Amino acid sequence: MADFIYLYRGGNPPSEPDEVQKQTHKWLAWMKELGANGHVRAGNPLERHGKVVRGKSKTVTDGPFAEAKDLVGGYLLVHAKDFDEALELSKGCPILDMDGTVEVRAIHLVNVPAVDGDA
Amino acid sequence: MSDRRPHDVSDLELGNLFRREAGRMTSALARVFGVHNLPLVEDVVSDAILRALEVWKISGVPENPAAWLTAVAKNRAIDVLRREKTARTFEPALAAALSTEWALVPAVEEAFRDEVVKNEQLRMMFACCHAQLGEEVQVALVLHLLSGFGAREIGAAFLVSEAAVEKRLQRGKAKLAEARSLPSIDEGRVAAHLGAVHRALYLLFNEGYHGAHREGSVREDLCAEAIHLTSLLATSDATKKPSTFALLALMCFAGARLPARRDTNGELVALEDQDRARWDHALVRRALAALESAAEGDELTAYHLEAAIAYEHAAASSRADTRWDRIVALYEALMQLAPSPVIALNHAIAVGEAEGPERGLEALEAIDDADQLDDYPFHAAAMGELLLRMNRRAEARRAFEKACAKARTPDERRWFATRLRACSDA
């Protein structure tokens, strides 16, 4: 087993309360299923606004000012057998139905301890 | 996985939550921003709701979702007020408070206090039912601003396009924006305008109950919203009049029957033939309590009479056991008070039950303005029922054929088709 991160980007916001309700429900159902199958390690939405620190001078600027579709809106740490399973699981994500994307990345663990309960 | 424990909330609860909280937040924010700043109000509301989606979809629904939404809306409102206090004028009554930083936050907190929100919702209701707005605009505004329905949903409920609803809402909001404050609810205003508010809520309920729109959950949501808003009137000192209770009673009686309106195959069932065990008995109890309060004072409105008719149906254990003579008398009183061809049609049906189909048919044929019922399929259907009971099958068949042709929904069509087949049965 290994850990992966899903990065959520974009996703057209619904315009009416009943759509918000439907989407929230889809997400809750999806997350519940992932959680019930032991795939979810942690996950959180990100605040919309932040700052960016750059360079040796540690310049702080407002941002990130990416297009809404490129902005990371949240992340999920996923526990899966291998990359293929993590990728397959990501296809159930409701954000895909609303024009958003999920970026799936394996977390490269350096110096993994020899004892792994799941192995 | 200890930091993520999604609170289990059913689909329906969540739906009502977003809608209902949108309505509450809109009224509270209109108090602060002023009704002329409705676009800003709506931005803040939709922002709070979208933020909820963003957070809840990953972290799960919090323990108290309504409080969560309110907190987001308050913070956002405070940001807006700080940012725009020099560029905009807000609600004049709060101008002093909003101009100083130390009073701004308490003013926003105050606007979201339960009692205050309730009062603001009343003011919003009266504002939406502005005398210079058509009823279709009033109802759209009530649904949108107080109940959180979007233009698409309202359009679906009333069988009009989303664009047409948008237009109605724009017209309504422009009228609201002419005043900066919502109307105050004093004796004079209640006396002059409570009738219009009742009428809009009654239409809202009826649209849910009898409306010609497609099958689906929207119609029952409309009924629930009408009951919710009428309850708001019934629990506020200024508006808890006998007529309000009568309207509430009538809605609760009718709403109680919703679960029994369809049989196990999903087909419509006539009131008299419904399985009364499937009625919502909690709602019947609310109706009875409201009916009792409606009887205080000497005011007799059409709502009183309609509620009394609904009571007769609720009190009967079966079609045969129904006191049809009383229902006939109530319809006669209603025809005096609020004459309409549909009331006359219902009267004729009741006469048919009380005094036999021949008398019923006479009453049906005596309806003034019957041509107004030409597109109303239940007119032809009522005639069909009476003729069928008199065994005039060929004429009954023709009447049901007409009803089928006029049917407005697949439900109605199947219902009339069933009755048409009954004409051929031996």
Side-chain angles (χ1 to χ4, degrees):
Chain A
M1 296 296 275
D3 284 344
F4 302 84
I5 191 164
Y6 291 173
L7 297 172
Y8 302 125
R9 284 193 177 81
N12 292 331
S15 60
E16 302 196 345
D18 74 315
E19 286 172 40
V20 175
Q21 172 253 321
K22 278 183 207 145
Q23 286 198 8
T24 307
H25 189 71
K26 272 191 202 163
W27 275 90
L28 294 180
W30 186 61
M31 292 292 289
K32 199 171 169 180
E33 197 192 330
L34 279 187
N37 295 326
H39 291 301
V40 178
R41 281 240 190 265
N44 283 300
L46 300 182
E47 289 292 342
R48 285 176 208 169
H49 304 292
K51 303 261 185 190
V52 178
V53 188
R54 268 192 196 86
K56 283 183 193 150
S57 61
K58 326 246 186 282
T59 318
V60 178
T61 54
D62 286 340
F65 286 124
E67 295 279 325
K69 67 178 170 49
D70 300 323
L71 204 63
V72 176
Y75 69 91
L76 191 68
L77 279 176
V78 173
H79 196 53
K81 195 163 79 234
D82 51 26
F83 189 87
D84 285 346
E85 191 190 25
L87 190 65
E88 207 49 42
L89 288 171
S90 77
K91 291 178 183 171
C93 181
I95 205 169
L96 300 172
D97 296 331
M98 38 190 286
D99 246 2
T101 64
V102 190
E103 180 175 328
V104 184
R105 304 279 293 271
I107 294 174
H108 183 97
L109 291 178
V110 185
N111 298 330
V112 187
V115 185
D116 186 347
D118 295 322
Chain B
M1 256 315 292
S2 58
D3 59 332
R4 203 189 64 88
R5 184 160 297 133
H7 181 58
D8 230 351
V9 176
S10 81
D11 199 3
L12 187 66
E13 273 177 289
L14 210 52
N16 288 341
L17 173 85
F18 282 124
R19 280 212 198 107
R20 194 143 293 168
E21 290 307 311
R24 287 172 48 86
M25 290 189 285
T26 301
S27 290
L29 290 167
R31 174 188 171 84
V32 184
F33 290 170
V35 72
H36 58 299
N37 283 317
L38 265 184
L40 193 60
V41 167
E42 294 194 278
D43 280 351
V44 172
V45 170
S46 61
D47 205 61
I49 287 179
L50 283 181
R51 190 64 192 148
L53 168 62
E54 280 173 18
V55 174
W56 299 359
K57 71 187 187 187
I58 305 181
S59 326
V61 178
E63 279 297 323
N64 187 341
W68 193 102
L69 278 167
T70 303
V72 174
K74 276 184 200 166
N75 288 337
R76 187 92 183 90
I78 291 166
D79 286 348
V80 170
L81 290 165
R82 280 186 184 138
R83 200 181 60 222
E84 308 220 2
K85 68 182 166 194
T86 49
R88 271 179 199 265
T89 50
F90 292 105
E91 159 70 62
L94 293 181
L98 298 182
S99 66
T100 56
E101 177 62 29
W102 60 269
L104 186 149
V105 176
V108 173
E109 288 288 343
E110 169 72 7
F112 279 92
R113 225 162 36 85
D114 280 348
E115 276 308 298
V116 177
V117 173
K118 196 172 143 185
N119 192 51
E120 293 312 300
Q121 287 182 294
L122 283 187
R123 292 172 71 191
M124 185 65 92
M125 244 190 268
F126 276 80
C128 290
C129 298
H130 194 290
Q132 285 167 29
L133 293 171
E135 278 173 346
E136 79 281 10
V137 177
Q138 295 179 356
V139 173
L141 277 180
V142 167
L143 276 175
H144 182 64
L145 295 175
L146 284 147
S147 307
F149 281 80
R152 185 182 44 72
E153 284 180 284
I154 299 172
F158 289 85
L159 274 189
V160 290
S161 70
E162 184 175 346
V165 176
E166 289 284 5
K167 233 180 251 169
R168 285 177 193 178
L169 291 174
Q170 270 166 23
R171 211 176 326 145
K173 286 178 195 171
K175 177 56 71 187
L176 295 190
E178 285 173 11
R180 297 200 161 171
S181 308
L182 292 169
S184 57
I185 308 298
D186 50 33
E187 291 258 332
R189 184 170 307 277
V190 169
H193 298 292
L194 184 59
V197 175
H198 284 161
R199 175 99 195 126
L201 297 178
Y202 179 77
L203 282 177
L204 174 53
F205 185 86
N206 263 337
E207 193 53 43
Y209 201 75
H210 298 293
H213 52 70
R214 291 188 303 277
E215 308 169 31
S217 63
V218 175
R219 62 191 314 167
E220 279 165 28
D221 288 354
L222 295 187
C223 291
E225 271 312 306
I227 290 176
H228 172 70
L229 295 173
T230 309
S231 303
L232 210 62
L233 293 176
T235 51
S236 301
D237 287 335
T239 49
K240 53 179 185 192
K241 305 286 181 196
S243 52
T244 301
F245 286 112
L247 180 60
L248 182 60
L250 144 68
M251 288 178 180
C252 290
F253 275 129
R257 299 179 207 139
L258 281 171
R261 285 213 313 178
R262 286 171 195 282
D263 63 17
T264 45
N265 297 322
E267 299 294 339
L268 289 174
V269 182
L271 165 60
E272 303 82 18
D273 302 323
Q274 284 170 7
D275 175 2
R276 281 148 215 255
R278 290 175 62 203
W279 284 2
D280 181 338
H281 293 284
L283 217 44
V284 172
R285 281 192 295 278
R286 276 180 73 187
L288 290 170
L291 197 59
E292 210 162 291
S293 302
E296 288 163 19
D298 49 13
E299 195 184 6
L300 181 72
T301 62
Y303 305 127
H304 281 88
L305 294 170
E306 288 198 45
I309 293 167
Y311 167 76
E312 289 298 335
H313 286 298
S317 59
S318 69
R319 180 182 201 137
D321 182 44
T322 307
R323 294 178 291 197
W324 290 105
D325 53 331
R326 293 196 192 190
I327 293 179
V328 169
L330 287 164
Y331 272 120
E332 269 157 20
L334 201 51
M335 282 159 72
Q336 296 289 320
L337 200 62
S340 93
V342 174
I343 300 292
L345 170 60
N346 287 322
H347 168 256
I349 293 170
V351 169
E353 296 287 345
E355 301 168 27
E358 291 82 3
R359 295 296 310 277
L361 195 62
E362 276 169 37
L364 194 69
E365 282 164 346
I367 296 177
D368 293 332
D369 307 321
D371 51 322
Q372 286 182 36
L373 293 171
D374 219 35
D375 284 329
Y376 188 58
F378 290 97
H379 181 240
M383 185 161 295
E385 295 296 344
L386 293 166
L387 289 165
L388 185 59
R389 280 169 55 198
M390 292 156 69
N391 214 20
R392 287 157 64 174
R393 286 170 182 268
E395 291 160 274
R397 193 174 300 122
R398 275 198 296 280
F400 283 120
E401 279 164 359
K402 184 176 173 193
C404 284
K406 303 273 181 193
R408 297 159 299 178
T409 63
D411 264 352
E412 287 181 358
R413 197 162 300 116
R414 282 196 304 277
W415 167 254
F416 299 136
T418 308
R419 302 307 297 150
L420 184 59
R421 280 194 296 279
C423 299
S424 311
D425 296 342

